[in-house]
Amino acid sequence: MVYAACLFLAAAVFFGVAAAIYRGHTDLIHSCHRAHVGEAERRDYGRSFSRGLFVLAASQALSAAAALLGETALAVAVSVGILFVGMAVSFIIIAGVQKKYNGGFW
């Protein structure tokens, strides 16, 4: 139950940050990750970057919901599996955005 509550809280935080970035607050992204992004591309960069964070927030919420199903080995495996797959997809999205707009991660 505590695991699910923590994940729901983390999902809410990530969703809030992703929404702010999507609306144009790209200053929430560390400066080294947006160093080579042109001013004209900031809006598109922020929207693309936030999609990765939305995926992460959704995977955390789904993992928390799966954790509420019980404490059996299957429920735990499904919950952790959802979280790891979501994190991997999120990382792939953000890495692609970084390569496209920033020329690389740094």
Side-chain angles (χ1 to χ4, degrees):
M1 184 67 148
V2 173
Y3 174 78
C6 289
L7 274 182
F8 278 128
L9 179 63
V13 169
F14 274 102
F15 184 79
V17 170
I21 292 171
Y22 188 85
R23 284 190 229 122
H25 295 285
T26 56
D27 55 320
L28 293 173
I29 302 169
H30 196 277
S31 61
C32 70
H33 294 298
R34 55 184 166 86
H36 303 292
V37 179
E39 193 62 39
E41 298 176 316
R42 292 275 167 135
R43 180 175 174 261
D44 292 335
Y45 169 71
R47 288 185 173 208
S48 297
F49 191 96
S50 67
R51 286 184 185 111
L53 294 180
F54 282 128
V55 169
L56 180 60
S59 70
Q60 289 173 333
L62 288 174
S63 177
L68 291 175
L69 296 176
E71 294 183 10
T72 65
L74 179 61
V76 170
V78 168
S79 176
V80 172
I82 290 170
L83 182 62
F84 283 162
V85 168
M87 288 171 60
V89 170
S90 175
F91 181 78
I92 289 168
I93 291 170
I94 291 173
V97 170
Q98 286 302 109
K99 183 174 178 166
K100 178 179 179 180
Y101 289 100
N102 199 41
F105 235 80
W106 311 106

